[in-house]
Amino acid sequence: MSLWISLGLSLGLFPMRGLPQAADFEFFLVKVDSLEQIGDFEEAENLLSECLENNDEHWFDCSKKSIAMNEKLGNYSDNLSIFNQAHESEYFYFIHRQMPKYAGYLELPGFDSIARRDLLLRQRANEISRTIYEVQLPQHYDPSRSYPLVFIFHGGGRSMVQAKKHWQVHALDHGFIKVFLQSYRHFDSNTFGWGSSDERLDRDVKGIYEEILSVYPVDTTNILAAGISAGATAAIDLSLRKVIPAKGFLAFCPDLPRFLDENPALLLNNDIRGYVSTGSEDPFRDRDQVLATLFKGLDVHCKFVSEPGRGHEYPVNESLTISEGLAFILNQEKIGGGFEEVISGAIAKGLCRGLSIAIADNNQILYYNFGKLNHESSDTPNQQSIFEIGSVSKLFTIFIYQALAEREIVSPSDRVGYYLPEITNPAVSDMTLGLLVNHTSGLPSMPDNLPESEADKGISSYTDEDFIAFLNRLHIEDSQNMFVYSNAGIALLGLVIERASKKSYHELLQGFVIANFNLENTFIKVPESKQKEFASGSKEGMDIDYWEMDNVLAPTGGIRSSAEDLVKFLCYTLYSENYASIRNSMIRDPLQIGEGLSYASAWFIQSIDDRDYFWVSGSTGGFSAFLGFCKENDRCVVMLSNSSLGLKEAGLQLLSKSN
């Protein structure tokens, strides 16, 4: 028995009695599965029997679980009454005498008539059934723009209900119109399967495609098909036979489409690109190998990847697999322009240990990764790898401040002393929050009382009291309204927003940023469960300790994050109308600080050839980071490295490109 199930049963978290309501039916199934896992089939069946007696909405799902539990108990005759009751309501189960699972029923009186009735109900249902679909629009949908389209096919013996629990990754959520399809071909009353070279399905899918085009702005040059198991086979089948004008297919654990046995010549001169992801323990993997051999012989561009330890199931990390598949299908596995060669050279010379890049361009998000995650292994970083981001942390802090200002909790004209009366130095207490945000307060770059022994380790022992003492004795020249980039100023702003909101910076970051945007790899202190994804820092090939800033300096440079989280944050804040006022506040009234260079709230703004490039960069002892966007070419770039090097020039170069 697993520990969590044991504790749950002993503490009453999974009550042994109680009928499921619609709102908690999923939790009811967890209780049943937990009992099944510990071998208590009889108690599980007791729960299911109560469900069958009292719950109409989920009766059929309960009946299927109850049938399975009775089969484990050897109570085959008890299931005959369930079959008959189901048939009275025109439910059916795909009962077939030749199926091994029904061997225990063959000698039971009445089973033959039950099997015939079940088959008849299924045939009638298939006669009137049709392929249906559900559309999920991109997160920041704009009907004036065109979007790539992906058709998603559920697995065999499943439905779109299960499929919609998957394929929910940012690379698709941000830029694709997703169309979840559900086959007309019943397995049982609420699960379905796909056929190969199925004329009826062909007509249905073509009709759905035309309907989608008539309603939504689709980029018809970027149509993809995706699925798992029999759904993956359908995606391949419909793409290669050009039932839909697919550019490529993304297939998890597919079977061999029937037409490939009958007429493989259809693949000749086919420019479709495919990505097939399987598991080393998938019992059908030999068919994938046949498919790979066939594709290779006919020069079909398809990449096959096998995941160790995985069976006939979705990838362990869907986000990584789907992102890699999209890059291959869209033929964008390389950034181009000689960029890969430059990075490879820097890695070979020891100047760069690793690099993780995210590019959001024309509704598509692509990831590129180089080098090593740490010196002890050959693992390459990925978009979920965690890096120190240094001063890019200020972007989150300013976002939190602007969100509080939108709620009228703080204001740019508020004075520091109103929130922090312990600051007795009038030169500091009279400063407005607007001066802190725009780096025009006159505060220096860093406090001058940092512990010297920890200067290269993030001054982890530095306290609020140390910082207040520094501010109270500080003499400030009359330099307000002049731009002086100040880490101390943002640290002070962090104290103010804590006091104003009556929440810690941890709580503010969690509420306004991490939970709000569903960021899974953004922390001040990386938890133990994520340590394997935390890159190790370096400088000129030498290991550098992490900078621990879980203190007053966290708002200015203490956050760790990933390329996936940062590009997600950028896309939300730049494109969602929910954040329009905060977005505008963060780029309003830029201050000219140099030739072609200005600063507004959180962003440097570089003006080059009639384009404005908004960017922010950061570094710690062993890490570097760059974030930027350009509205003119609708591009966002994130660059993270576990080496101390300048990324600004490379970041601006990537921003200026257009695919």
Side-chain angles (χ1 to χ4, degrees), residues 42 45 49 75 99 129 213 233 270 282 346 404 409 455 485 591 620:
E42 187 170 347
E45 171 53 22
S49 294
N75 299 334
M99 290 182 175
S129 181
L213 292 185
T233 309
N270 201 318
D282 186 346
L404 292 172
I409 296 173
Y485 190 79
L591 175 69
T620 61

Side-chain angles (χ1 to χ4, degrees), residues 550-561:
D550 190 7
N551 55 19
V552 66
L553 296 176
T556 199
I559 296 174
R560 290 82 180 259
S561 192

